[in-house]
Amino acid sequence: MSSLYWLDDSCIEFPATHLALDEPNGLLAIGGDLSPDRLINAYCHGIFPWYNEDEEQNILWWTPSPRAVIIPDQLHISRSFSKFLRNTAYTHSFNRDFPAVLSACQAPRATQDGTWIGSAMKDAYVQLHQQGFAHSIEIWDADNRLVGGLYGLALGRVFFGESMFSRTPNASKCALYHLCNVLIEKEFSLLDCQVESPHIMRMGAILLNRNDFEYWLRQAINTHTSLKTTF
């Protein structure tokens, strides 16, 4: 029987991912910190932090199976969304305002109480952005207002999507569309979406078991000498 592993601040290593719990799905470890080195090491092994804001003293680390991913050139574009893209006045940018995207993703959703992006999480990803690992995609309306976007980490040839938001119809879809276009251009293999949702499954996400996901991950990260990608 698998058991939950406790981490401390003195070592950034994680237990083997096959030791993750089945219930809740993928919970592997608790504790540690959100230092850049630990976070990068976690993502390189398919592990990510996810916990409620009021649980910041006990960081939870996850590696769920199956894993929801999008192959960038297999993003599904419906007829209605294709028509929207042709007619929209939205524009997009990369890394123009990472803090604003992060703050928008941090805001509680109408269907949620509180947020999982607490102050420590926010500070950690801002630091990763400053180091060139975390990136944002912004969507702007005709009045240059930020109406949607997403952020995540780019390591090797994998983009690890963390969160997205939309203030107007289709804005987050536009962010995903423009992200996949640049991932195709830069020959990325995977867009990691972590866990399935109706939204991303409609956009063409597929499910990989942990072994298959980690195989793709090793190929896309270990075959490149630099973890950083410039957007």
Side-chain angles (χ1 to χ4, degrees), residues 51-202:
Y51 56 94
N52 293 329
E53 185 178 18
D54 59 1
E55 298 173 335
E56 287 190 345
Q57 298 304 313
N58 292 310
I59 302 169
L60 302 179
W61 300 90
W62 303 79
T63 172
S65 184
R67 192 73 165 240
V69 304
I70 291 175
I71 311 301
D73 63 2
Q74 295 178 18
L75 182 73
H76 175 69
I77 305 298
S78 67
R79 290 182 180 179
S80 60
F81 184 51
S82 181
K83 181 178 179 181
F84 177 87
L85 287 169
R86 291 195 299 270
N87 298 316
T88 186
Y90 290 167
T91 58
H92 71 282
S93 59
F94 288 90
N95 294 323
R96 176 174 159 186
D97 199 339
F98 184 89
V101 171
L102 192 54
S103 293
C105 291
Q106 182 184 30
R109 307 297 200 261
T111 57
Q112 296 176 336
D113 294 325
T115 177
W116 64 270
I117 306 176
S119 58
M121 184 82 81
K122 188 174 181 180
D123 291 346
Y125 285 90
V126 167
Q127 190 172 0
L128 286 171
H129 174 66
Q130 292 168 344
Q131 294 181 358
F133 293 105
H135 304 275
S136 61
I137 298 87
E138 301 89 12
I139 301 299
W140 310 88
D141 69 8
D143 296 316
N144 203 35
R145 293 176 297 194
L146 181 65
V147 294
L150 63 83
Y151 79 95
L153 272 68
L155 298 172
R157 291 295 178 263
V158 179
F159 192 94
F160 299 87
E162 272 298 310
S163 185
M164 61 174 60
F165 78 98
S166 186
R167 292 170 175 160
T168 55
N170 288 324
S172 63
K173 285 185 181 180
C174 286
L176 190 60
Y177 168 79
H178 290 297
L179 172 63
C180 283
N181 282 347
V182 78
L183 295 184
I184 294 168
E185 176 187 335
K186 295 181 180 296
E187 300 181 338
F188 272 53
S189 302
L190 285 178
L191 166 56
D192 175 33
C193 303
Q194 298 180 346
V195 295
E196 67 176 299
S197 71
H199 175 64
I200 64 165
M201 298 307 289
R202 285 193 296 268

Side-chain angles (χ1 to χ4, degrees), residues 182-227:
V182 78
L183 295 184
I184 294 168
E185 176 187 335
K186 295 181 180 296
E187 300 181 338
F188 272 53
S189 302
L190 285 178
L191 166 56
D192 175 33
C193 303
Q194 298 180 346
V195 295
E196 67 176 299
S197 71
H199 175 64
I200 64 165
M201 298 307 289
R202 285 193 296 268
M203 297 293 286
I206 60 174
L207 300 178
L208 298 177
N209 65 45
R210 185 179 294 116
N211 286 339
D212 289 343
F213 173 72
E214 291 180 357
Y215 173 80
W216 281 59
L217 196 58
R218 288 192 298 271
Q219 299 303 308
I221 290 181
N222 294 346
T223 56
H224 295 274
T225 56
S226 175
L227 287 176

Side-chain angles (χ1 to χ4, degrees), residues 1-7 13-30 45 47 61-65 210-211 214:
M1 179 182 296
S2 298
S3 59
L4 192 59
Y5 285 76
W6 286 82
L7 308 175
E13 298 303 321
F14 288 87
T17 55
H18 73 270
L19 298 173
L21 300 180
D22 294 326
E23 183 60 39
N25 179 16
L27 182 57
L28 175 66
I30 186 169
H45 290 86
I47 303 164
W61 300 90
W62 303 79
T63 172
S65 184
R210 185 179 294 116
N211 286 339
E214 291 180 357

